[in-house]
Each structure stands twice: as C-alpha cells, then as structure tokens.
Amino acid sequence: MTQEQPRRVSREEVRHMAELSRLAVTEEEERLFSRQFGDILAHMDLLSRVDTQGVEPLYSPLAHAAATRADEALRVRTRAEVLANSPEPNTEYFVVPRIV
C-alpha cells in the first residue's frame, strides 16, 4: 500500500484564488493560506478514506416534527389595546409621519 503525498497548494494558486475573489493578500498571507489550504485538503483526503459502507445518511441530528398549528383567526387584542401603545393615539388608526 502506498502512502499518498498530501496535496499542496502553491502560493501561485493562492494568489490566483485571491485574484478571482478580488482579494488582496500579502506574501505572509500567501504562505499562511497555502499551508492552511493544504491542511484542509489533507483532512478532506482523510475523510474520503473513511469506510461508510452500510451507514445511513444523516441529514440532521435532530428529529424534525412539523411544528404546525391550526390556521384559525383569533381576536386576542382589541383595537383600543393595539392602538394604546401608538406614539400618536388615534381611536381608529395608527398615525405615522408623512414621508412623501
């Protein structure tokens, strides 16, 4: 069995990705991102070697029961209660500043 060499991301590739993303990177950032991208790819290679035969896909760790309620109109507040907190109280409507 041969050990694959980890994929390296060159500084030129980092520079190219930065250019495509319209980002400015310094030489120090090029070195840093080159190493970090290589680490990420090495980790992805490691994950791709995990045997997942017979493992059911997991879409979410939580059970999702539909949170529904009856679609019923309810009168929980009176007009006066709703309008009571209005900055300019009016017995019929909300009064808002004129914008045009």
Side-chain angles (χ1 to χ4, degrees):
M1 181 175 207
T2 60
Q3 181 86 17
E4 289 184 33
Q5 292 295 321
R7 165 100 162 80
R8 299 187 63 92
V9 177
S10 68
R11 289 178 52 193
E12 289 74 27
E13 289 172 309
V14 171
R15 204 173 301 130
H16 180 68
M17 286 187 273
E19 185 179 316
L20 292 175
S21 304
R22 298 180 182 198
L23 297 172
V25 292
T26 64
E27 287 186 23
E28 181 180 325
E29 289 170 330
E30 287 175 8
R31 283 189 291 276
L32 174 68
F33 295 152
S34 173
R35 184 180 52 78
Q36 289 179 338
F37 289 152
D39 292 345
I40 291 168
L41 291 175
H43 190 71
M44 298 304 289
D45 285 344
L46 178 68
L47 290 176
S48 71
R49 284 184 255 145
V50 173
D51 182 16
T52 58
Q53 288 288 334
V55 177
E56 290 291 320
L58 178 65
Y59 299 105
S60 172
L62 304 175
H64 295 280
T68 59
R69 62 175 172 79
D71 188 16
E72 298 173 1
L74 299 174
R75 188 173 298 271
V76 294
R77 301 268 191 273
T78 64
R79 179 184 298 261
E81 289 172 333
V82 172
L83 293 172
N85 292 324
S86 171
E88 285 189 46
N90 184 306
T91 57
E92 292 293 320
Y93 310 102
F94 285 104
V95 177
V96 296
R98 185 179 182 132
I99 56 172
V100 179

